[in-house]
Amino acid sequence: MTKTETSSRHSFLDRRLLAALVSLTLVACGGTEQEQVDSDTLGTQQAAASTAVRLMAANITSGNGQSYDPGEGIRIFKGFKPDVVMIQEFNYGDNSASAIRSFVDSAFGTSFYYYREGGAQIPNGIISRWPIIASGEWDDTQVDNRDFAWARIDVPGSKDLWVVSVHLLTSSSSVRNTEATNLSNFIKANVPTGDYLAIGGDFNSDTRSEALFTAFSSVVTTTSPYPADRNGNNNTNAARAKPYDHVLVDSDLRQYQVATVIGGSSFAGGVVADTRVYSPISEISPALAADSGATNMQHMGVIKDFLIPGDTTSASITVTSPNGGESYAGGSSQAITWTASSVTNVKVEYTLNGSTWTVLTSSTSASTGSYTWTVPSSATTTAKVRVTDASNSAVTDSSNANFTITTGGGTGTGTVFINEVLINEAGSDVNGEFVELVNPSSSSVSIAGWTISDATGLRHTFASGTTLAAGKAIVVFGSSAGIPSGVTNAVGSSTGSLNLSNSTETVTVKNSSGTTVDTATFGSGLTGTDGVSANRSPDVTSGASFVLHTSVGSTSSSPGKKANGTAF
């Protein structure tokens, strides 16, 4: 995705040029072989077309409230001028949207974007110079006052940057290893291997040999060189004796790391931001020498710099959804999505048989990246969509594989559909996740042997003899322990867990013959809020769009009841 940068950047051009020049001498300064740059190509390839990106991990709250209110952390951010921050203990003022926006404006600038996880006592977050195009949180099962916050950032160039802000537990190295293993699995399941990846934050690691680094090494590089302060110390706790804080990136991004250049100073492997030893302090004004020694500032920020390739000018289109394997109900409203570069308007089409194409729109803005259509009520297993440059038919892309359109329920004389799904459970109790099915017809339906699956695999099989009465609902929870008091006609998942993903998720219901009865895909806008379900709007309407439950009812969810709280 192509963006043109227009915001003011204090000394950023100078920093980019200095970084490029210093990269020529990194081997002599202790850099790795991959940091060498060919001086014959630097001017035309990197200085002209590359973008400097400064990543920072920052748990630099101070005072007695685990917040940035006292101001020392704000001055440090201003002095080191990061482009993307993986921030911990993201508290400020009363934590209202206006207070957090005020903090970001003050510390970084009004053009910066941010994501802050909800429902956490000491939340993680991401702050970015470039647009955050998707964000959310993955469940940290080892702690109940924060999760893993992630964001997908539209950095200049052909790849997006995925960053994850983490704050691992202090309790033991084995717990931290569990957290690192779980996070690595989330990353493997959700982050495209072709994009850049960074994990940053407060690992609370006592040594660099902890098992957590082996776990993380499956998705990022964990080897030296390590960021260090003016004196060469690469530890980051307040006493500067342990390596608590880290910025780890994947090999795609690691190859573009350059020295961190600040004023006349250069740090080959990145810098540990300790104002107490930084000299000359004027290079990081308005930060003060005493800031890193403020009351209860227990960590130092960690910074690494990168010089990533810029955009090319060739036009391109890529269909992102539906891209093959989806199953849509006929009559439902679905989004066709794409990415485009150097394209102004696009034509959007679909086919039911792979050869005959129907035009949905002959010209719509390419920059919107989305077109909403009503799926035709024609059952097929060979549907595809196609998006084409409206002014150049040679620039085109279609679904990578066929998707399915269904037109009815399954066995029995009634119809059944997904009406409500709670993907992001309240707190960290995954037993509370649920899928609600509704039979709106006048006839009961045998659902014995029917299944519920997520994007990963089978999660529940209905027991022999199970029927869903006319006009009634049945709810499948993560386990029977998650069924709230008073909720009837509910069961626990036969596999012991629904394991729904808090980023994007697809839920599919199939009958006992394996035919898809209903399926729904939920984006981050419907999965990113703790305890709030996704519900059909209008409620109890097959094929209707899903919205947050708070948009159709006065509560955050209503398992086994209609959105207004009345019984089925």
Side-chain angles (χ1 to χ4, degrees):
M1 302 171 69
T2 304
K3 297 288 181 181
T4 301
E5 186 179 356
T6 58
S7 61
S8 173
R9 308 183 68 168
H10 295 293
S11 303
F12 189 65
L13 180 59
D14 292 341
R15 195 179 82 211
R16 175 189 296 174
L17 294 176
L18 282 168
L21 291 172
V22 169
S23 65
L24 294 172
T25 58
L26 280 176
V27 174
C29 296
T32 62
E33 181 178 353
Q34 63 189 4
E35 290 170 316
Q36 297 181 46
V37 180
D38 184 344
S39 60
D40 292 334
T41 60
L42 177 65
T44 58
Q45 292 184 2
Q46 289 193 316
S50 297
T51 298
V53 178
R54 175 165 292 173
L55 302 182
M56 183 176 187
N59 185 4
I60 53 174
T61 58
S62 56
N64 297 318
Q66 290 180 299
S67 77
Y68 289 88
D69 292 332
E72 291 88 358
I74 293 176
R75 286 196 295 269
I76 292 172
F77 285 133
K78 287 182 175 181
F80 285 94
K81 299 180 177 65
D83 298 303
V84 177
V85 179
M86 292 149 279
I87 189 171
Q88 292 78 58
E89 301 183 1
F90 194 177
N91 292 318
Y92 186 75
D94 62 2
N95 287 329
S96 63
S98 60
I100 298 300
R101 183 69 253 179
S102 174
F103 164 73
V104 174
D105 291 350
S106 175
F108 304 96
T110 58
S111 63
F112 274 69
Y113 304 80
Y114 76 89
Y115 168 73
R116 177 180 184 269
E117 66 167 311
Q121 180 247 328
I122 47 173
N124 294 313
I126 293 98
I127 301 167
S128 170
R129 179 180 299 278
W130 299 283
I132 294 175
I133 55 179
S135 58
E137 58 190 86
W138 293 317
D139 186 28
D140 184 348
T141 59
Q142 305 301 297
V143 63
D144 59 7
N145 64 354
R146 72 263 191 182
D147 287 313
F148 307 123
W150 64 267
R152 184 177 188 176
I153 299 172
D154 185 20
V155 294
S158 60
K159 299 181 179 183
D160 291 332
L161 169 64
W162 292 69
V163 295
V164 187
S165 177
V166 304
H167 189 171
L168 305 185
L169 272 176
T170 60
S171 57
S172 73
S173 59
S174 62
V175 169
R176 291 191 289 273
N177 183 46
T178 298
E179 291 177 293
T181 300
N182 291 343
L183 176 54
S184 297
N185 289 335
F186 281 128
I187 289 170
K188 292 172 186 176
N190 293 282
V191 177
T193 56
D195 283 346
Y196 301 127
L197 168 68
I199 303 172
D202 173 7
F203 291 10
N204 277 309
S205 45
D206 290 331
T207 70
R208 295 186 189 275
S209 61
E210 277 197 19
L212 72 89
F213 294 103
T214 300
F216 276 145
S217 67
S218 66
V219 290
V220 290
T221 60
T222 60
T223 55
S224 62
Y226 306 120
D229 65 16
R230 173 67 71 195
N231 299 327
N233 186 342
N234 55 36
N235 291 316
T236 68
N237 66 332
R240 304 302 310 282
K242 294 182 179 182
Y244 276 1
D245 306 271
H246 306 269
V247 172
L248 304 179
V249 303
D250 66 353
S251 57
D252 289 349
L253 186 54
R254 179 65 182 84
Q255 64 182 316
Y256 300 120
Q257 185 173 355
V258 295
T260 297
V261 177
I262 302 172
S265 302
S266 176
F267 303 84
V271 62
V272 174
D274 187 345
T275 62
R276 296 171 296 182
V277 300
Y278 196 97
S279 176
I281 194 68
S282 59
E283 288 184 343
I284 55 171
S285 176
L288 305 176
D291 284 343
S292 293
T295 300
N296 287 331
M297 185 173 287
Q298 300 173 11
H299 301 262
M300 304 297 108
V302 174
I303 291 169
K304 291 183 179 179
D305 281 20
F306 304 85
L307 204 59
I308 61 174
D311 289 312
T312 60
T313 58
S314 58
S316 66
I317 293 172
T318 302
V319 171
T320 55
S321 179
N323 204 31
E326 298 87 350
S327 181
Y328 294 153
S332 65
S333 179
Q334 304 290 343
I336 297 171
T337 62
W338 63 86
T339 60
S341 174
S342 301
V343 176
T344 303
N345 294 301
V346 295
K347 177 172 68 172
V348 183
E349 307 165 276
Y350 73 90
T351 181
L352 300 178
N353 58 15
S355 59
T356 303
W357 292 88
T358 300
V359 176
L360 292 170
T361 176
S362 59
S363 183
T364 188
S365 174
S367 63
T368 62
S370 179
Y371 180 86
T372 301
W373 69 313
T374 300
V375 178
S377 296
S378 300
T380 180
T381 59
T382 57
K384 286 186 176 183
V385 299
R386 183 167 67 190
V387 181
T388 305
D389 186 341
S391 62
N392 181 4
S393 60
V395 181
T396 185
D397 189 42
S398 60
S399 306
N400 286 348
N402 296 329
F403 62 92
T404 298
I405 297 175
T406 61
T407 56
T411 59
T413 58
T415 59
V416 172
F417 64 94
I418 302 166
N419 188 61
E420 184 181 0
V421 180
L422 178 59
I423 295 173
N424 192 340
E425 71 285 353
S428 297
D429 184 7
V430 295
N431 295 324
E433 295 175 344
F434 69 79
V435 177
E436 178 188 80
L437 305 183
V438 171
N439 173 14
S441 72
S442 58
S443 303
S444 64
V445 178
S446 169
I447 58 173
W450 285 31
T451 61
I452 296 177
S453 301
D454 71 351
T456 303
L458 177 68
R459 299 303 177 191
H460 177 71
T461 301
F462 286 98
S464 174
T466 306
T467 60
L468 182 53
K472 299 297 183 180
I474 189 169
V475 188
V476 179
F477 283 82
S479 78
S480 57
I483 302 175
S485 175
V487 174
T488 59
N489 208 23
V491 296
S493 168
S494 62
T495 64
S497 174
L498 290 176
N499 199 33
L500 302 178
S501 170
N502 290 358
S503 52
T504 58
E505 183 61 284
T506 298
V507 176
T508 301
V509 179
K510 294 183 179 181
N511 64 22
S512 57
S513 299
T515 302
T516 297
V517 174
D518 195 12
T519 188
T521 297
F522 305 91
S524 57
L526 295 173
T527 65
T529 306
D530 280 8
V532 179
S533 66
N535 201 98
R536 297 278 188 181
S537 179
D539 187 33
V540 198
T541 304
S542 177
S545 299
F546 281 91
V547 299
L548 288 175
H549 192 281
T550 48
S551 300
V552 292
S554 59
T555 57
S556 58
S557 64
S558 57
K561 295 182 179 180
K562 295 180 181 179
N564 61 10
T566 61
F568 280 96

